[in-house]
Every structure is written in C-alpha cells, then in structure tokens.
Amino acid sequence: DFRIATPDSQLAIMEARWGLVPDMGITATLRGLIGLDMAKELTMTARIVSGTEAKDIGLISHVAEEPMVKALALANEIGARSPDAVLAAKRVLNAMVSQPESDTLALEKRWQRRLLLGKNFKIAGKKAKSPELNFVDREFD
C-alpha cells in the first residue's frame, strides 16, 4: 500500500537493457502511481532514479533515512483508527483504479452505510474525548 525508500535508493525498470519488456506485473503496478509519460520514459530508458526523484514522480510514497522507522510510525498511525474504516477505505480506494466511477461511488455508499451502523463508528466519535477507548475487532470482512 505504501512504498518507502531512502533518499539514495536506486530504482529502475531495467528490462530494456536486456531487450525485454517489463514483466512481473510492473504494468499493473505502475498504473495509478505515475503518469503514462513517465512510465514510458523509465521503461524505455532503463534509467536509474534515486529515492528522492522516485518520490518526486510518485513512484514511492515517502523518503526516509530510516524506512523501517517511518513504516512503523505510519502503521501505528493507521492502527489508531477504526479497523473497519481502514478496511473500507482500502477497498474503496483500490476499486477507484480498477472499476468504473459509478461502481466505486456505489461501493462507497454501501461501506458508509455499514460503517455508520457499526460499533467502531460509535467508538471513533468518543475517542477524541477519551483516547483510552479501544476499538473492537474488525466487524466486517
């Protein structure tokens, strides 16, 4: 879901150096991350980019001197949210890149209805005043 690299990381789509087209699902992975023009440039040139440049073009989410520390901080931040809302957000956002807009809007509406009726929605509203409250286990799959 998130890609974190050091500033001096080296990333590339190297297949062009060997006379090949990218494989291992890179075409599906790049969709939604970077523009078509940049995907073509990186694929056709096999140019190596640093972590900093990769962040600038949207290939990675974050640049950090210590990626594991950043990843754990992000995981903790997400973990402090309703597990049902996190699941629903991931499902709706993933659908956004693979389904027609009308289907995504319908999915969003279905999830919102489910969440509003859930236990974790009620807890989320109280957590601002009582941070010690814990969410219940995820109610939805």
Side-chain angles (χ1 to χ4, degrees), residues 20-34:
L20 297 170
V21 67
D23 58 1
M24 307 284 291
I26 194 72
T27 52
T29 305
L30 283 178
R31 183 184 17 215
L33 294 182
I34 61 176

Side-chain angles (χ1 to χ4, degrees), residues 71-88:
L72 290 172
L74 187 56
N76 286 330
E77 190 174 349
I78 293 167
R81 304 292 169 241
S82 161
D84 295 312
V86 170
L87 170 72

Side-chain angles (χ1 to χ4, degrees), residues 24-61:
M24 307 284 291
I26 194 72
T27 52
T29 305
L30 283 178
R31 183 184 17 215
L33 294 182
I34 61 176
L36 179 59
D37 58 339
M38 190 54 65
K40 287 178 181 179
E41 180 181 328
L42 294 177
T43 299
M44 294 175 187
T45 64
R47 181 168 56 88
I48 298 170
V49 297
S50 69
T52 302
E53 184 179 358
K55 169 70 171 99
D56 290 344
I57 63 174
L59 194 58
I60 63 170
S61 310

Side-chain angles (χ1 to χ4, degrees), residues 76-127:
N76 286 330
E77 190 174 349
I78 293 167
R81 304 292 169 241
S82 161
D84 295 312
V86 170
L87 170 72
K90 182 173 178 172
R91 297 252 173 100
V92 171
L93 293 170
N94 283 347
M96 185 175 71
V97 297
S98 63
Q99 296 180 14
E101 184 177 323
S102 60
D103 291 352
T104 305
L105 291 172
L107 180 63
E108 178 185 300
K109 185 176 180 178
R110 282 194 308 273
W111 270 111
Q112 200 70 297
R113 202 175 290 136
R114 290 172 81 184
L115 292 171
L116 286 167
L117 297 172
K119 294 175 187 170
N120 282 320
F121 171 72
K122 293 170 185 70
I123 294 169
K126 296 174 185 174
K127 271 185 89 63

